[in-house]
Amino acid sequence: MSQNQLPEGEIQKLFTFVKSKNVPYKDVQFEIVDHLASAMEDLKDDNPEWSYSKCLDEIYNKFPITGFAMLQLEKEEAQKKYWRKKMLPFVKEYFKLPKILLTAALFIIFQNLISKIGLIDLSEFERVIFNTSQITNFLVILISTYRFKYLKNKPSLEEEYLFVKSFKQAKSLILLFLISIPFIIAYFHFAVNNCTLNLSGSISYLYAYLLTFTIISIHLSYKIFPTLLNDEADHRYGHMNILLT
């Protein structure tokens, strides 16, 4: 253990230094500062006459010309792989006993209900859909304006913390994989038939799959995965007092 532990003031100077090197994420800043501080303390043990600046220069010069950029990229890739590895087992549970019974039950129920609907003509609802889309566009513009005006100086958690950003990216990728292909097929089926849907026959299986895994995705997204994120925040970053809710 080092006998030359850095004082609090020098630790804060390290944080300022790391931020100045374009490291935007607080969790990555903490890890880099911890690494730098440990290395500097070891240097001070061997060279007690060296100043703070000399120790920092000696260590930083060992990094490539891009500074901490490569280290940050490595951490980004590592975090994405970490979250995918954590999330995938929960998805796979729905394809194994006992949860596959629930998956199969939902699928069968939806398929039977959808196949009985038969032909649907949605052309008379075009005007309603058009007006709804206009209202939606107006609300999107209103919300975007509010966010820009009142929240522009309040960075989101995914902008502040790499582990939150990587979590959301991994979650989106997994959920998109579950429903993207059937959703695209269903969309083209709807478009090609000019707002007329014939839900009987084989197409009912596609919509049953889409509805089944949409429900599963919602459950994972709002009940299962947030617990993983909160556990991660408590276990690895409890000292940072991160508020996720």
Side-chain angles (χ1 to χ4, degrees), residues 21-216:
K21 299 301 180 181
N22 299 315
V23 179
Y25 306 111
K26 292 183 179 179
D27 46 342
V28 180
Q29 291 170 9
F30 266 92
E31 292 185 33
I32 294 176
V33 166
D34 184 62
H35 170 76
L36 293 176
S38 296
M40 290 176 68
E41 289 166 0
D42 291 339
L43 271 181
K44 290 285 285 184
D45 285 343
D46 297 331
N47 307 276
E49 75 282 0
W50 282 18
S51 66
Y52 164 89
S53 298
K54 184 172 177 59
C55 290
L56 180 57
D57 289 342
E58 181 74 14
I59 296 165
Y60 186 66
N61 287 337
K62 294 179 181 179
F63 283 85
I65 193 170
T66 53
F68 301 125
M70 290 303 299
L71 179 61
Q72 183 169 303
L73 286 174
E74 290 172 3
K75 290 187 176 296
E76 288 177 2
E77 288 304 313
Q79 283 279 21
K80 289 177 186 177
K81 291 179 181 178
Y82 172 81
W83 281 122
R84 288 196 293 266
K85 188 176 180 180
K86 291 277 285 187
M87 293 176 180
L88 279 174
F90 292 94
V91 177
K92 291 177 181 178
E93 284 182 5
Y94 288 93
F95 297 93
K96 299 187 297 185
L97 289 171
K99 285 191 177 180
I100 194 173
L101 298 177
L102 173 62
T103 304
L106 284 173
F107 180 83
I108 292 169
I109 291 170
F110 283 132
Q111 193 276 327
N112 277 276
L113 290 174
I114 291 169
S115 63
K116 291 177 181 178
I117 293 174
L119 187 68
I120 301 178
D121 184 3
L122 299 176
S123 58
E124 61 186 72
F125 294 103
E126 286 180 320
R127 181 177 58 82
V128 175
I129 294 172
F130 175 79
N131 290 334
T132 302
S133 67
Q134 299 307 303
I135 294 172
T136 302
N137 290 337
F138 172 75
L139 289 175
V140 168
I141 293 172
L142 191 65
I143 293 170
S144 299
T145 302
Y146 169 80
R147 286 183 60 85
F148 177 79
K149 185 175 181 181
Y150 296 101
L151 303 180
K152 60 182 179 180
N153 294 322
K154 298 179 181 179
S156 64
L157 282 173
E158 63 185 288
E159 292 173 330
E160 290 189 293
Y161 300 99
L162 176 61
F163 84 101
V164 178
K165 180 180 179 180
S166 301
F167 165 84
K168 291 187 176 181
Q169 289 175 334
K171 181 182 75 171
S172 298
L173 182 64
I174 289 173
L175 300 185
L176 184 64
F177 176 78
L178 279 177
I179 63 176
S180 60
I181 295 176
F183 179 82
I184 291 171
I185 296 173
Y187 174 80
F188 278 106
H189 176 255
F190 177 77
V192 168
N193 288 279
N194 293 320
C195 299
T196 300
L197 291 178
N198 186 357
L199 298 177
S200 60
S202 60
I203 197 67
S204 64
Y205 292 92
L206 174 68
Y207 282 93
Y209 175 94
L210 186 58
L211 286 174
T212 298
F213 283 95
T214 296
I215 288 177
I216 289 174

